[in-house]
Amino acid sequence: IQLGKMDPEPAASKKKTSTPVVYADLCSSKAGKDVVDAFASAGLTEREIALIYGALGSMESVATAFKKEDDDFEENEMGDVEVFIPSSFGSPQEMFGSRLGKMDNTALKDVAAEIKKKKTPSVDIFNDEKVGQWAVKYAGNNNGFMKDLPEAYTKIMALGSRYTGGKVGSLLGSGDSEF
């Protein structure tokens, strides 16, 4: 997975290289330094790394706790499975189905406990000193974690997007000369 935008290169600097680009494996158990370097080259900080990995850990714990219910579907005489169409979605909180879990900083609490006990964190990314400091900070402040997480997510989603400056000509691609 490539993190970051790809800036266009000037025509003079384009060279054919036979060396393939190697991207950091974000899920490898021993790629902490590579991941930190990939985030840094994309313009992100250690704070965003700790927030995103804390959110990923939280989602992973929710996903592993989820147990799929076994539904007994009977085939009709045409061999089709009957489709259930709900007539009511229930409360606003259950509009899209029952909640599977809750996003919080429990993954960072586990990492912070390992760091405080001077153990090597189970996730290699937290071996980086600055990322580990942010993990400890957010482990003690769930409200801060939940407040800062959308900002980090927005930064990652904005990578690679182009800012046009907001002028009408730039937006329409015709330049400033016509306006």
Side-chain angles (χ1 to χ4, degrees), residues 16-20:
K16 299 269 183 179
T17 59
S18 61
T19 315

Side-chain angles (χ1 to χ4, degrees), residues 12-81:
S13 68
K14 288 186 180 182
K15 297 177 184 175
K16 299 269 183 179
T17 59
S18 61
T19 315
V21 177
V22 178
Y23 299 113
D25 182 1
L26 300 179
C27 299
S28 174
S29 61
K30 296 294 179 194
K33 175 105 174 77
D34 295 337
V35 173
V36 171
D37 291 342
F39 271 78
S41 69
L44 300 170
T45 65
E46 289 83 0
R47 176 179 166 260
E48 280 97 19
I49 298 171
L51 286 165
I52 294 300
Y53 268 82
L56 288 174
S58 179
M59 289 187 288
E60 184 177 7
S61 66
V62 168
T64 56
F66 176 72
K67 292 182 176 45
K68 185 177 181 200
E69 297 177 7
D70 292 331
D71 293 331
D72 294 328
F73 290 113
E74 294 183 20
E75 292 184 10
N76 62 16
E77 57 274 353
M78 299 295 288
D80 298 331
V81 176

Side-chain angles (χ1 to χ4, degrees), residues 46-147:
E46 289 83 0
R47 176 179 166 260
E48 280 97 19
I49 298 171
L51 286 165
I52 294 300
Y53 268 82
L56 288 174
S58 179
M59 289 187 288
E60 184 177 7
S61 66
V62 168
T64 56
F66 176 72
K67 292 182 176 45
K68 185 177 181 200
E69 297 177 7
D70 292 331
D71 293 331
D72 294 328
F73 290 113
E74 294 183 20
E75 292 184 10
N76 62 16
E77 57 274 353
M78 299 295 288
D80 298 331
V81 176
E82 184 177 339
V83 177
F84 173 72
I85 301 173
S87 60
S88 171
F89 289 107
S91 69
Q93 290 83 15
E94 295 178 349
M95 186 180 307
F96 302 107
S98 60
R99 292 182 182 244
L100 300 178
K102 182 181 173 187
M103 174 75 76
D104 58 9
N105 64 345
T106 53
L108 293 177
K109 287 180 182 179
D110 296 341
V111 169
E114 291 174 347
I115 290 173
K116 288 179 182 177
K117 291 178 183 177
K118 305 284 188 210
K119 290 184 178 178
T120 302
S122 57
V123 180
D124 192 49
I125 191 78
F126 294 107
N127 286 328
D128 184 89
E129 184 180 342
K130 290 180 182 177
V131 177
Q133 289 172 351
W134 282 108
V136 170
K137 177 186 178 203
Y138 284 119
N141 184 3
N142 189 48
N143 289 337
F145 172 74
M146 294 303 293
K147 180 180 168 240

